Amino acid sequence: MPQVKVGRHLLDRSLPLRLAAVTGANRGLGHAIVRNLALRYPHSKLNDGNLFRIYMTARDVRRGIEARNGLAGDKDLRKIDALHENDKGFLEPQYLPLDLQSFDSISAFVNYLNREHPDGIDILVNNAGIAIETVKGFSLATVDQTLATNYYGTLKMTEELLPIVAKKQGRIVNISSMLGKLQKYPASIAARFREAKDVGEVTELVSEFRNAVAAGDYEEKGWPRSAYAVSKSAVTAISRILGQKSFEEHGVLLNSCCPGYVQTEMTHGRGRKTPDQGARTPLKLAIEDIDQTSGKFWEHEEVSTW
């Protein structure tokens, strides 16, 4: 079978694919995670002689395809002949449509992976998310849209793909935020997030916030004026709960992390980190040695307080 030398490794195309999925991969942090996964793969423990396919997802088909095709011009990837073409390279980036606000879209994505890869995938990075309140204002409509994408969509992806990742005893990385830290809440709400025993308790908190916004008494009840912050508190909470369970039952390492304040469209270019710098902690959780740590919140490439 054809083989190709990449770094220290001889890649054998007769071996099963190594597989990753990165959501929201058409720009910014998600795109940086994809390219850095590709750059690190040849010298990682994940590489035992396999080709590496990364599914790049995005809502917008045109932008998703353009992002995938744009990897061919990446100078760093070209230096190592990463792209698999003309019997060379190890990287197979592919675009798949995915909209986290649509459970039908999530189901179609999950069904595709189950059909095409019955032996599972190695890595899932739940990066897709929105931050629209600075543009559209704080309202019940923006709260519903933010929670639908950032919390309910991420939760659905995590729960649906966990059995697929478990087949490879792989890893799941949920992108959260320092804005989801609990010091902004009254002690009673913070304790409920921190001590939640199951996902249902976290979803109940999210519903209480949404209903308080609808009733107009969210401030009196101690909720912040930010659906983005609440959504990320909830993502960190479910990652703790599911991360502990996933490792105990399936050997899957599931963690959440804050990439930092990154220069992206979401931050209107005001971040202090480049996308490549922001990708460092997600990449560590996805592909590097983390000593079987699961269910933790990370920032600056180390476990952090929440």
Side-chain angles (χ1 to χ4, degrees):
M1 297 297 290
Q3 295 179 322
V4 57
K5 187 74 175 292
V6 178
R8 302 176 314 233
H9 303 275
L10 195 63
L11 300 183
D12 188 340
R13 296 192 180 102
S14 68
L15 294 171
L17 290 168
R18 287 295 192 181
L19 297 158
V22 181
T23 68
N26 61 297
R27 64 184 188 184
L29 179 64
H31 196 262
I33 290 171
V34 169
R35 69 180 296 276
N36 281 282
L37 273 173
L39 289 169
R40 294 193 190 185
Y41 173 73
H43 309 289
S44 72
K45 292 181 179 179
L46 190 66
N47 173 22
D48 52 8
N50 317 60
L51 290 171
F52 188 29
R53 180 177 297 170
I54 304 178
Y55 288 110
M56 307 169 63
T57 82
R59 288 176 295 174
D60 187 291
V61 174
R62 178 184 60 81
R63 296 185 71 171
I65 293 173
E66 286 178 353
R68 180 258 175 258
N69 293 341
L71 292 175
D74 186 285
K75 62 181 179 60
D76 294 323
L77 293 176
R78 288 174 65 87
K79 282 181 184 177
I80 61 171
D81 292 323
L83 282 156
H84 175 39
E85 53 190 5
N86 299 323
D87 206 33
K88 294 181 180 179
F90 62 91
L91 176 65
E92 292 186 343
Q94 293 192 9
Y95 165 72
L96 286 177
L98 178 66
D99 181 357
L100 290 195
Q101 291 190 43
S102 166
F103 280 10
D104 287 342
S105 178
I106 293 173
S107 293
F109 180 74
V110 171
N111 290 340
Y112 176 88
L113 293 181
N114 272 320
R115 182 174 67 252
E116 296 297 318
H117 306 294
D119 293 328
I121 69 171
D122 299 280
I123 298 166
L124 168 66
V125 181
N126 278 316
N127 166 73
I130 60 173
I132 58 176
E133 292 162 324
T134 56
V135 175
K136 296 186 176 181
F138 183 80
S139 67
L140 184 59
T142 57
V143 167
D144 284 340
Q145 191 174 351
T146 300
L147 296 177
T149 301
N150 294 3
Y151 177 64
Y152 291 106
T154 299
L155 173 60
K156 179 76 169 175
M157 281 287 291
T158 303
E159 291 185 323
E160 291 288 330
L161 267 77
L162 180 55
I164 301 175
V165 177
K167 293 177 181 178
K168 292 281 193 79
Q169 290 191 320
R171 301 190 186 188
I172 297 176
V173 184
N174 288 335
I175 303 300
S176 189
S177 172
M178 67 182 77
L179 296 178
K181 289 192 173 185
L182 300 179
Q183 65 263 30
K184 64 175 59 62
Y185 299 100
S188 58
I189 294 178
R192 290 175 65 196
F193 271 120
R194 188 178 292 110
E195 298 167 11
K197 298 286 194 301
D198 56 49
V199 167
E201 292 183 26
V202 180
T203 299
E204 184 178 350
L205 280 162
V206 172
S207 296
E208 287 179 16
F209 165 68
R210 190 268 177 197
N211 292 338
V213 173
D217 60 357
Y218 65 93
E219 290 179 315
E220 292 90 329
K221 291 183 176 179
W223 292 103
R225 186 181 173 85
S226 173
Y228 182 83
V230 173
S231 72
K232 293 304 184 180
S233 299
V235 166
T236 303
I238 62 167
S239 299
R240 175 185 60 79
I241 294 164
L242 295 175
Q244 293 170 351
K245 183 178 180 181
S246 69
F247 179 68
E248 292 170 0
E249 297 182 0
H250 306 292
V252 172
L253 303 182
L254 190 164
N255 293 278
S256 63
C257 71
C258 174
Y261 192 29
V262 182
Q263 298 162 8
T264 63
E265 287 186 28
M266 183 181 287
T267 64
H268 311 290
R270 294 195 293 264
R272 291 187 291 271
K273 289 185 175 181
T274 66
D276 282 340
Q277 290 169 334
R280 288 175 183 169
T281 300
L283 261 291
K284 183 180 182 72
L285 297 179
I287 205 168
E288 296 182 5
D289 182 12
I290 56 172
D291 196 28
Q292 296 189 323
T293 303
S294 190
K296 300 297 185 180
F297 173 71
W298 294 65
E299 55 184 342
H300 311 303
E301 300 179 72
E302 59 185 13
V303 174
S304 179
T305 57
W306 175 43

